[in-house]
Amino acid sequence: MIEFLKILFLSEFVLLTPEPITIDGQHEFRLTESVEALNYNARINIDVTSMVDEFLGTGVVEELDILSEKFPKGSVEVHLIESSAGDKITLKNLGYSTSKNSMDLSLKYPKNAELGRSYDTIIIQSNVLLKEVVIGWANSK
């Protein structure tokens, strides 16, 4: 019940990139306000629609196949850092989603990591060029 109330009142989506950016290798975000993992649905979302928009509307199965082909498992990693304690959590499990208007990558908070931690630095590493992407931190579905 407490987790439900936290999600209801504290869930958030923090847009890390007000404008689309390109990441060639690595990009570091030093946050003015830290983000927190309230539950194990917390995740980084990377909207890659601009890179694959010609495939929108081809059907969910084909869109997911395109995402997994262009962004294979292991090609993107996210590090969440709590600077004051020096703690770092790595998000490696790359997932894919699609909707009528977007195609996204997501990296979920690991189930073996402690909830309720705050992070003030996010580092995204990619061995695939991420061109004109929009990135956000989400805390619930």
Side-chain angles (χ1 to χ4, degrees), residues 11-46:
S11 64
E12 64 181 337
F13 182 83
V14 177
L15 191 60
L16 300 176
T17 56
E19 299 292 325
I21 66 167
T22 296
I23 299 175
D24 188 6
Q26 178 176 302
H27 188 84
E28 182 173 319
F29 298 92
R30 292 190 181 266
L31 309 177
T32 54
E33 290 189 38
S34 58
V35 296
E36 182 179 349
L38 298 175
N39 60 44
Y40 292 111
N41 287 321
R43 65 198 174 280
I44 288 286
N45 280 345
I46 304 173

Side-chain angles (χ1 to χ4, degrees), residues 22-27 75 77 124-130:
T22 296
I23 299 175
D24 188 6
Q26 178 176 302
H27 188 84
S75 63
E77 229 177 54
I124 297 179
Q125 291 180 302
S126 178
N127 60 26
V128 174
L129 178 67
L130 299 174

